[in-house]
Amino acid sequence: MRTSPGSAIGGGGLAHRDFLINTPMLTADKPFAKSGESRAASGSLPQRLHIRRLGLMDYETVWRAMQAFTDNRDDGTPDEIWLLEHPPVFTQGQAGRAEHLLAPGDIPVIQVDRGGQVTYHGPGQVIAYTLIDIGRLDLGVRELVTAIEDAVLGVLDGYGIKAQRLAGTPGIYVEGVKIASLGLRVRKGRSFHGLAFNVNMDLEPFQRINPCGLRGMQVTNLCAFVETSSAEVEDRLIAGLGEVLGYDNRFRQVADRLPRCAAKLMQDLAV
């Protein structure tokens, strides 16, 4: 189904008056178009999918920049993917419950506007924020989630790793252990937030929470299975996300900095 403006989605999402969506109830209203199908062929996409590789950046700065970008974009604004890592931080989604924060200690906790429960971000985890006009791509929210998951499954398959979804919670698992998490917000048909892919991070902080609100949920790293780097994973994710969204190889790296529309906001945050 299509969603109302201001929808959020993530593991353990809870429906309430703020247009949160209960993930298991989401259904796609049409088959998902794979790479190179109708959207790209019809010319309905902008010329390029823009890529920003931002390095290590604090969570709140990037979160506020995503909000500013989404609020200021128009029908002609190209879609973007922001690739980066965060310093240690717990983020609590709109449906988040305090009991899932077991012992955060010295790691900050930020209440945010994505769907889902609590998760952890830290160095060695590749973040891919998907700033996508889903109406322009003729996608529903569930279809966007499926597309992002398909891209991760493709990356893992490229490393010879068999991974799967689990019913009822967005994300990707290897032998029942979580390796990638998803949490999205959709405002006026445009998404932000996105994907967290564990590559080679310190997993200890996950023991301080119930990841995604699931007691006893185990997590793992890609580097537990293969030797790779965050930069290589980013490269593969760019190709995979471009493919599943119908852009194929039509992407370009824009910059290693946030967009101009976020500049004033960043100044205000610094005051």
Side-chain angles (χ1 to χ4, degrees):
M1 69 180 182
R2 299 295 182 191
T3 60
S4 304
S7 299
I9 182 170
L14 175 69
H16 65 53
R17 292 179 61 192
D18 194 29
F19 303 107
L20 293 188
I21 304 298
N22 187 355
T23 301
M25 296 176 62
L26 278 174
T27 56
D29 57 357
K30 63 179 66 179
F32 177 68
K34 293 295 186 181
S35 63
E37 290 188 10
S38 58
R39 295 188 304 278
S42 68
S44 62
L45 296 179
Q47 187 177 8
R48 293 284 186 269
L49 173 64
H50 289 184
I51 308 297
R52 295 183 188 272
R53 303 183 84 153
L54 301 174
L56 183 69
M57 294 195 70
D58 74 276
Y59 185 88
E60 185 158 6
T61 296
V62 179
W63 171 35
R64 298 303 184 187
M66 285 191 289
Q67 292 176 320
F69 177 87
T70 302
D71 289 343
N72 285 279
R73 67 182 301 174
D74 59 30
D75 291 345
T77 303
D79 292 332
E80 297 199 1
I81 294 174
W82 298 358
L83 293 149
L84 63 148
E85 298 183 7
H86 290 305
V89 63
F90 294 113
T91 63
Q92 180 81 290
Q94 286 186 319
R97 297 179 180 177
E99 63 260 32
H100 296 308
L101 277 163
L102 305 179
D106 58 353
I107 298 177
V109 180
I110 300 179
Q111 186 78 35
V112 299
D113 56 353
R114 61 164 172 79
Q117 300 278 341
V118 65
T119 194
Y120 171 70
H121 302 303
Q125 181 188 65
V126 170
I127 304 293
Y129 288 133
T130 50
L131 296 107
I132 306 297
D133 187 330
I134 64 173
R136 186 167 58 200
L137 297 191
D138 196 24
L139 291 175
V141 179
R142 180 66 256 179
E143 292 171 297
L144 177 59
V145 170
T146 298
I148 297 170
E149 291 176 338
D150 282 345
V152 177
L153 288 169
V155 170
L156 291 168
D157 184 66
Y159 284 112
I161 298 170
K162 184 178 180 181
Q164 55 279 142
R165 300 174 174 91
L166 290 183
T169 176
I172 297 299
Y173 300 78
V174 179
E175 299 177 356
V177 180
K178 198 163 198 175
I179 197 168
S181 300
L182 253 95
L184 294 174
R185 177 82 181 181
V186 177
R187 183 181 295 170
K188 297 181 179 179
R190 286 134 183 184
S191 71
F192 57 108
H193 294 288
L195 165 73
F197 193 163
N198 303 340
V199 177
N200 190 21
M201 66 186 305
D202 178 7
L203 299 176
E204 183 278 330
F206 284 103
Q207 299 176 24
R208 308 185 193 186
I209 61 174
N210 291 325
C212 303
L214 300 172
R215 192 180 308 275
M217 170 60 66
Q218 299 298 304
V219 296
T220 190
N221 275 315
L222 178 57
C223 284
F225 304 93
V226 295
E227 289 188 14
T228 188
S229 66
S230 292
E232 180 179 301
V233 173
E234 287 185 2
D235 288 340
R236 295 187 182 212
L237 268 178
I238 290 168
L241 289 167
E243 180 181 0
V244 297
L245 294 172
Y247 285 95
D248 297 321
N249 292 323
R250 298 185 304 130
F251 53 79
R252 68 182 182 91
Q253 185 170 330
V254 178
D256 57 359
R257 60 185 181 276
L258 293 169
R260 291 180 182 177
C261 66
K264 183 179 185 303
L265 176 64
M266 298 306 101
Q267 293 173 358
D268 292 343
L269 286 173
V271 173

